Structure formats: structure tokens, C-alpha cells
Amino acid sequence: MFHLHTGSSQIQFRLTPDTSWELYGGVSFMMQNNGIGGYGFLIPSYKRQEGGAYMLANYRHSSVLQLSGSIRYDLGHIHSQQHGEDVSEVDKAFHDYSMSWGVEYKPGYRDVLRASVGRAFRLPSVNELTSNGVHHGAFRHEMGDSSLVGEHGWQVDLSYTSKRGRIEYSLSPFYSYYSHFIALHPTGRWSMLPDAGQIYQYVDAPTTFIGGEVSFNVRLWRGLHYSLTGEYVYTFDHHSHTATPYSPPANMHNTLSWESLRWRCYAECQSVAAQHRVCHNEMETNGYNIFNIGGSVDIALHQRKLSLMLNIRNLFDTSYFNHLSFYRRIELPEAGIDIQTTIRLNY
């Protein structure tokens, strides 16, 4: 049985003393009371309180330069009962700050450069502290750690966007380092519970993330466009000296589209690389390519617009596994060919 009561509130204000400054501030509160019944539950009964205050400022120096900064302080308290023999009673308070600084530079109408530096803080969740049982939606035995502290980390983000005639492109690299990062690690220890497999333990470890996104778009001829988008993240757990669990593989989308006043259509190839950089006792995943096509047409109907749309995903019925999917553990592949039709009438 599941009895969760949540109450939350937020107060926010906005000030614009002049055309250059824009200020936001506020406070937020949340209270939770979770009661349980029956048997075989994943987390125990608990009470949780959270509160925070924040301030954000944007300063527009000119049409070329804009600055921003923000700071937030959070407090929280969690009290839960003992859960089994391996997870003790939790009665802990957490508090810390997060902040960021950012700049946006537009030397001309064709180029935009953005940069930001920030410190992150996150309170641990109740399941990270107290889980001890089978998560039936994820098909695994998950175990919390009552000694976990909140997540702490620093991140640097850059972004550059440019337009040159028919070509538009952008590049967005990032780097982050967490002195405390919470992840669910497969332990290799076999669970004694039925249908559970190995035990997955929430672990706190220093972690580095390096990655970025890239996009490219070119207007080939009239309404014909080609676009490419890609993203990749490299993760490293400094305790296990492996990738963090469930690290997404690199992926890329190549799309050819055409658009007129009434007609639109596209063809897309989604390419996902194999993921061999995995944590200990985590399964690897092969790469795959899937093809998607679709189109739409707008029809004038008594001064209203009727839109007919058709989308076909995984056109060639490819069998593949998503590295981040829960169903990969039970060898259930993703959906095959998927045909969707939509009729939309605006009135």
C-alpha cells in the first residue's frame, strides 16, 4: 500500500529597476509524509522537509554584452525507519549552496558566444538513502546507503553559435567535476530475493563528466534542408576507475527535410554508437542505426486549418537495445516499426 502526502509552496518576485537590470528572488518549501503497508516494499515510511531561498540577476550592459548570476541555499531533513538488516534508521539534515555566473557576447547578428561557471548541490533522495528491495519497474534489487551526503560539483559550459549565409552551426562543450556524485552501481553480489538478480547499490564517488553537443544546418535549395546533430559524454568514476553506470553512448541524427507553404516531409537516420565503456558488472550494448520518415499537409477547410500527419519510426524494423532502458536486463528490445497518424483541426 502506498500513502504519500506532499505539500509545497513557492513565493517569487521580479524587479526591473531599469531597462538594464532584471532581478528575481524567492523562497520555496516542501513537506512529505510517506506511509506504507503490506510487505515487500522498496523504501520505508519517512518524513521529509525541504526549504530554499534564491536570487537571480540579469544585467544587460548593451546589445552586445549581457551578464547573469544566481545563488541558492537549500536545507532539508529526512527521517525514516530502519529498513531490513542492511539499511539503518535515517535521521539526517542537509544544507548547502549552489551558484552560477554567466556571460553572453554577441559581436554581431551572426555570432553568439555564451559561457557559464556554476556550483551544484543536490540533496540525496529517500530511495538513495533507504532502498532495500526489488524495484519491480527496473527488474533489480536496489539498496540504499544511509551514510550518503548531498551531491556537490562544479561545471563549466561553453556555447558558440554562428550563421553564415545558408549555413548555421553550433558547438556546446562542457566539463564538470563532482567531489560527491551518487550513482547506482551493480555490485556483482547475488540477491536472495526472488526475480531480483544482482544487487545494485547507491554509491558516492568523485566523478568527472566531459562532453558536448554539435549541430549543423544548411539550406540546400529552396525549402530543402540538411541538418546534423550529435552529442557525446565521457564519464569517469575516480573510485572504480571506470565509466559511471548507465553512461549514454554517443549518438548522431542526420536529417533531410523539405517544406513548402502546405507540405512538409523528412527522412532521418539515427545512429547510436556501441557502449563498451561500462561500470564493473554492467552489460555492454551494441550500436545501431534506425531510419525514420514522415510528412504532413495543411488543408484549408471553411476558414479553418486541417493538418494530416504521418510518421514512421524504425522504418526497417531493426531490432536494437537502448543502453539506458530497464528492459535491456531482460533482453527485451525496443519497439519495431511504429506508424503514427495524426489529424489536427484548428478552429
Side-chain angles (χ1 to χ4, degrees), residues 7-8 33 51 147-148 155 167 217 239 247 265 290 303 316 326:
S8 62
N33 187 2
S147 66
L148 294 176
Q155 179 160 320
I167 299 175
N217 186 288
H239 277 178
S247 295
C265 63
I290 60 173
Q303 298 181 345
F316 300 115
F326 293 146

Side-chain angles (χ1 to χ4, degrees), residues 63-290:
S63 60
V64 176
L65 182 64
Q66 180 173 329
L67 306 174
S68 63
S70 63
I71 187 168
R72 179 183 175 100
Y73 199 88
D74 284 284
L75 303 96
H77 180 266
I78 297 175
H79 180 239
S80 71
Q81 304 300 320
Q82 182 173 348
H83 192 192
E85 298 180 356
D86 299 306
V87 180
S88 60
E89 178 183 3
V90 174
D91 189 4
K92 302 182 69 172
F94 305 89
H95 60 91
D96 212 329
Y97 72 96
S98 53
M99 62 192 311
S100 68
W101 304 272
V103 59
E104 179 180 271
Y105 179 60
K106 296 180 179 179
Y109 69 93
R110 297 183 301 182
D111 301 285
V112 180
L113 178 64
R114 298 182 178 92
S116 66
V117 178
R119 182 187 191 270
F121 166 68
R122 183 180 71 84
L123 278 70
S125 63
V126 174
N127 59 301
E128 292 168 341
L129 294 168
T130 65
S131 294
N132 187 11
V134 178
H135 189 312
H136 293 285
F139 312 103
R140 63 192 176 205
H141 182 165
E142 297 182 2
M143 183 174 293
D145 183 350
S146 57
S147 66
L148 294 176
V149 299
E151 285 187 344
H152 304 79
W154 288 88
Q155 179 160 320
V156 178
D157 291 273
L158 298 174
S159 174
Y160 175 68
T161 302
S162 181
K163 296 181 180 179
R164 293 291 187 274
R166 297 184 175 185
I167 299 175
E168 179 179 355
Y169 58 92
S170 67
L171 181 64
S172 305
F174 69 87
Y175 169 84
S176 60
Y177 173 76
Y178 283 80
S179 55
H180 295 277
F181 183 79
I182 301 173
L184 190 61
H185 285 241
T187 64
R189 305 194 311 269
W190 193 258
S191 172
M192 300 303 293
L193 299 177
D195 304 320
Q198 67 174 314
I199 297 174
Y200 287 72
Q201 174 85 49
Y202 284 101
V203 175
D204 176 4
T207 306
T208 296
F209 298 86
I210 304 174
E213 302 174 357
V214 61
S215 68
F216 174 82
N217 186 288
V218 57
R219 188 172 70 253
L220 299 174
W221 178 73
R222 295 187 179 179
L224 186 64
H225 291 256
Y226 166 74
S227 65
L228 179 149
T229 60
E231 58 185 13
Y232 174 71
V233 57
Y234 174 90
T235 67
F236 185 74
D237 184 304
H238 292 268
H239 277 178
S240 64
H241 301 285
T242 66
T244 60
Y246 309 106
S247 295
N251 71 85
M252 179 175 61
H253 291 253
N254 286 276
T255 307
L256 191 65
S257 61
W258 176 78
E259 182 175 354
S260 69
L261 293 177
R262 297 176 51 233
W263 295 85
R264 291 171 295 276
C265 63
Y266 74 91
E268 177 186 72
C269 174
Q270 179 184 356
S271 302
V272 178
Q275 183 56 288
H276 300 303
R277 290 196 69 255
V278 295
C279 183
H280 296 307
N281 305 304
E282 183 184 6
M283 295 184 296
E284 300 181 359
T285 306
N286 294 327
Y288 57 88
N289 294 283
I290 60 173

